[in-house]
Amino acid sequence: MSESPSAATTLPADEIPVLRVVPQPSSANVHGDVFGGWIMSHVDIAGSIPASQCANGRVVTVAVNSFTFRQPVFIGDLLSFYARIVRKGNTSVTVNVEVFAQRMGLNEVIVKVTEATLTFVATGADRMPRKLPEVGNES
């Protein structure tokens, strides 16, 4: 973890989260810290949403380019997952995902807990790579 617990921030004002979830006790270890794998699976789901929209259909995760846990996540935190496309190829879409935790309590604190970059590939019904659809007049 690379930031101090006092690294409070705010949620991105100009974006809407693609996913919001509250971890439950089954997602944590005996000390109340949420498993990293649980967070990773939700990051993958969040990243797939804009990738699927861009691909107009099925996508598969082909790479986790980077993944950083900045702060622990606790049972009862309200997690907001923000995902944006940062690169489009012929068949692939690279998505950046940022995760913020709203620590629930008397004084609400918001911290960035995770950031990741994932690459997805559009696939057809045969599960083979397919070209991304051309949208409008992109230059």
Side-chain angles (χ1 to χ4, degrees):
M1 320 257 172
S2 58
E3 294 179 13
S4 70
S6 63
T9 187
T10 59
L11 296 174
D14 56 342
E15 296 181 60
I16 297 172
V18 297
L19 181 66
R20 296 184 86 190
V21 66
V22 176
Q24 301 299 304
S26 61
S27 305
N29 62 27
V30 296
H31 304 290
D33 297 326
V34 174
F35 293 117
W38 183 91
I39 298 165
M40 292 177 86
S41 70
H42 284 78
V43 165
D44 191 37
I45 292 166
S48 74
I49 293 170
S52 296
Q53 291 170 332
C54 176
N56 196 25
R58 179 193 312 259
V59 295
V60 296
T61 309
V62 295
V64 177
N65 306 330
S66 67
F67 209 107
T68 304
F69 295 102
R70 298 194 167 281
Q71 295 283 325
V73 173
F74 306 113
I75 296 167
D77 284 350
L78 173 58
L79 300 181
S80 296
F81 294 74
Y82 293 84
R84 72 193 68 74
I85 294 171
V86 295
R87 183 185 168 281
K88 296 180 195 177
N90 289 324
T91 62
S92 66
V93 181
T94 302
V95 179
N96 179 265
V97 180
E98 294 179 301
V99 185
F100 294 85
Q102 290 172 261
R103 310 279 194 210
M104 299 307 201
L106 294 176
N107 296 323
E108 183 179 280
V109 175
I110 298 169
V111 294
K112 183 191 275 190
V113 293
T114 304
E115 59 188 348
T117 304
L118 301 94
T119 300
F120 300 86
V121 167
T123 61
D126 60 358
R127 292 187 166 69
M128 297 301 293
R130 66 173 170 83
K131 282 189 166 274
L132 294 175
E134 292 189 30
V135 180
N137 232 354
E138 294 182 273
S139 306

